[in-house]
Amino acid sequence: MSNVVVPTTLDEALALLAADPQLSPLAGGTDFMVEVNHGARRPVRVLALRAVAELRGWRRDGDVLVIGAGCTYVSMADPAFAVAAPALAQAARTIGSPQIRNVGTIGGNLATASPAGDTLPVLMALGARVEVASTEGTRTLAVDELITGVKRTVLHPAELITSVRIPVARGPQEFCKIGTRNAMVISAAGIAVVLDREAHTVGCGLGSVTAAPVRATDAETFAAEAIDWSTLRAGAGTTERFGTLAADAATPIDDHRSTAAYRRHAIGVMARRALERCLS
Amino acid sequence: MSTQSYRLRVNGADHEVAEGWIGESLLDVLRDRLGLPGAKNACEEGECGSCSVLVDGVLSCACLVLAAAAIGTEITTVEGLGAEGALTDVQQAFIDAGAVQCGFCTPGLIVAIHDLLDQDASPERLVVEEALSGNLCRCTGYGRILEAVDLVAARRSAS
């Protein structure tokens, strides 16, 4: 058998994976190859997913957007995608550089499970459902069920992430992140705020400030009650309070990219601004 | 060590890669096995863009492509952009605008600018800056590189 396989169907990919526990799935390579190049990963056999047709692209299924695990960031920055999923399109647009966005995938962002994965706060705010498959069948997980810690997931070796389902936008959404430059930066902190004008709910996901993805639930509940849903306005002090509650949900650390204190502060500022933009 | 033999199609020609370690990046294979040193090796993590190539027409960092998984694709490196021995219009504009200093980032920028101008014949400055945001240059301050892009766009629209 070949040590590097490039299947074209999902069934073929899952069968190969089930038969070989040492087969490493490879999507866009933007995380995988960095580890290989730096000697942190020595693949024995590789399952390249780039040619698996079922994993590509995205489609709208009524009120749901079904995003293939192999959907690239550049595809998610597409204007048609941005209409249905504004915050995810914003996040996709800010990731890496054109070279990275051309090949990096949403499935890879989830499977890598870095606290700094920029799609993760958006998917949390949206209550995304992640479909995972193996030859044994499929299961569906929330993002915080899939990702349990820094670069840790509940994926079994024979499982692949196949798609992500999110609701089509029913109100304003904003994604913000901060780092040392606009392009090609790993977030020091990030946040997504999603308003649902029909359900009268607010989703708020935090990035780079917790080991595993979280929602700022106190901030969400507060804002949902404070917003006048008929006019999309809120009383004085609402956005400031929202920022404070969002920052309270952060449990950041000091590392080479930033400090815990700065990250918490940045979450408060960005949460306030994101809600202000949603309400303006 | 896990190896594999495979064939890559680069700049319109097939190349055999015999018994390559499967973890080898396309960048390493291009430079060390296929004698194509145009793509440069600096960061090996997709940060600098100096190894930019086109894979099936898609601008990519060769350091982030697993070479053995690139079978069946059409790879274009800076060496394959122009006719044999001739400069492309982007390369000529780099000379005319004085956009080359140490030259290390130049091949990656040339590939990225061809990709940009093939998609957008007369991009606004902000579009150019975003398109080149994954290509680092530590010498020029980018001013003359941006001038070179404008020069190519103007020359193409005039011809």
Side-chain angles (χ1 to χ4, degrees):
Chain A
M1 179 186 136
S2 256
N3 287 323
V4 178
V5 284
V6 191
T8 55
T9 68
L10 183 59
D11 282 348
E12 198 185 341
L14 294 177
L16 288 161
L17 210 51
D20 183 358
Q22 288 201 293
L23 192 61
S24 305
L26 167 69
T30 58
D31 292 315
F32 186 106
M33 287 304 290
V34 174
E35 292 178 8
V36 172
N37 291 342
H38 291 177
R41 181 197 277 266
R42 298 280 294 179
V44 177
R45 283 179 292 279
V46 174
L47 174 72
L49 298 169
R50 65 169 171 81
V52 177
E54 293 99 318
L55 300 181
R56 288 191 195 144
W58 56 275
R59 65 189 164 83
R60 196 170 159 163
D61 183 5
D63 295 338
V64 176
L65 208 58
V66 184
I67 308 163
C71 188
T72 56
Y73 300 122
V74 72
S75 302
M76 291 187 278
D78 181 83
F81 187 94
V83 169
L88 194 51
Q90 284 177 315
R93 172 84 183 272
T94 69
I95 290 172
S97 61
Q99 288 90 332
I100 301 297
R101 293 194 287 276
N102 281 343
V103 299
T105 68
I106 192 168
N109 212 217
L110 285 161
T112 293
S114 161
D118 280 330
T119 68
L120 307 184
V122 188
L123 297 178
M124 284 298 290
L126 290 166
R129 304 294 295 172
V130 182
E131 190 172 271
V132 170
S134 71
T135 52
E136 304 291 302
T138 63
R139 56 181 179 145
T140 306
L141 300 165
V143 171
D144 54 350
E145 293 168 337
L146 172 75
I147 300 173
T148 55
V150 178
K151 300 197 173 180
R152 278 184 22 204
T153 72
V154 298
L155 285 176
H156 301 145
E159 283 183 320
L160 280 181
I161 297 170
T162 52
S163 67
V164 181
R165 287 169 179 267
I166 58 170
V168 170
R170 298 198 298 187
Q173 304 183 351
E174 285 291 334
F175 171 80
C176 301
K177 76 178 196 186
I178 192 156
T180 46
R181 58 179 284 226
N182 277 341
M184 204 64 243
V185 69
I186 293 173
S187 296
I191 190 165
V193 176
V194 171
L195 270 55
D196 185 330
R197 291 192 77 163
E198 292 177 33
H200 297 183
T201 55
V202 175
C204 178
L206 307 183
S208 300
V209 290
T210 54
V214 298
R215 295 172 73 137
T217 50
D218 288 350
E220 292 177 344
T221 308
F222 164 76
E225 287 170 5
I227 292 169
D228 176 342
W229 288 98
S230 59
T231 61
L232 266 196
R233 305 223 171 262
T238 299
T239 56
E240 287 78 4
R241 179 75 185 141
F242 180 72
T244 303
L245 290 171
D248 287 348
T251 52
I253 58 166
D254 292 335
D255 67 9
H256 60 293
R257 241 170 248 133
S258 189
T259 65
Y262 179 77
R263 286 179 155 125
R264 190 175 288 110
H265 175 75
I267 287 291
V269 172
M270 290 192 294
R272 173 174 58 73
R273 285 184 192 163
L275 186 59
E276 278 169 5
R277 288 173 193 168
C278 286
L279 297 175
S280 62
Chain B
M1 195 172 74
S2 191
T3 63
Q4 181 150 326
S5 296
Y6 52 94
R7 180 183 297 169
L8 292 180
R9 188 162 180 80
V10 185
N11 299 333
D14 287 329
H15 296 267
E16 301 292 335
V17 180
E19 296 296 307
W21 173 52
I22 64 153
E24 264 183 317
S25 71
L26 176 60
L27 177 61
D28 285 346
V29 170
L30 290 172
R31 293 180 59 83
D32 300 338
R33 291 176 175 269
L34 305 187
L36 292 166
K40 299 298 176 212
N41 183 0
C43 74
E44 296 193 295
E45 55 186 33
E47 296 262 351
C48 75
S50 58
C51 66
S52 296
V53 298
L54 300 172
V55 179
D56 281 338
V58 175
L59 184 69
S60 310
C61 289
C63 74
L64 299 181
V65 176
L66 190 82
I71 53 170
T73 65
E74 288 280 346
I75 297 156
T76 305
T77 70
V78 69
E79 290 95 337
L81 287 174
E84 183 76 36
L87 295 177
T88 71
D89 56 355
V90 178
Q91 289 168 325
Q92 186 60 51
F94 262 57
I95 295 169
D96 297 340
V100 179
Q101 285 193 29
C102 91
F104 197 86
C105 70
T106 307
L109 276 159
I110 298 287
V111 176
I113 292 167
H114 272 281
D115 179 58
L116 165 66
L117 293 174
D118 285 350
Q119 295 174 52
D120 185 346
S122 54
E124 289 174 20
R125 181 53 63 91
L126 195 62
V127 173
V128 178
E129 288 177 353
E130 186 173 356
L132 303 184
S133 61
N135 292 79
L136 295 184
C137 171
R138 300 295 81 176
C139 306
T140 64
Y142 301 97
R144 293 182 178 193
I145 293 168
L146 297 172
E147 280 174 35
V149 177
D150 293 343
L151 195 53
V152 180
R155 285 173 177 170
R156 284 190 188 181
S157 72
S159 66

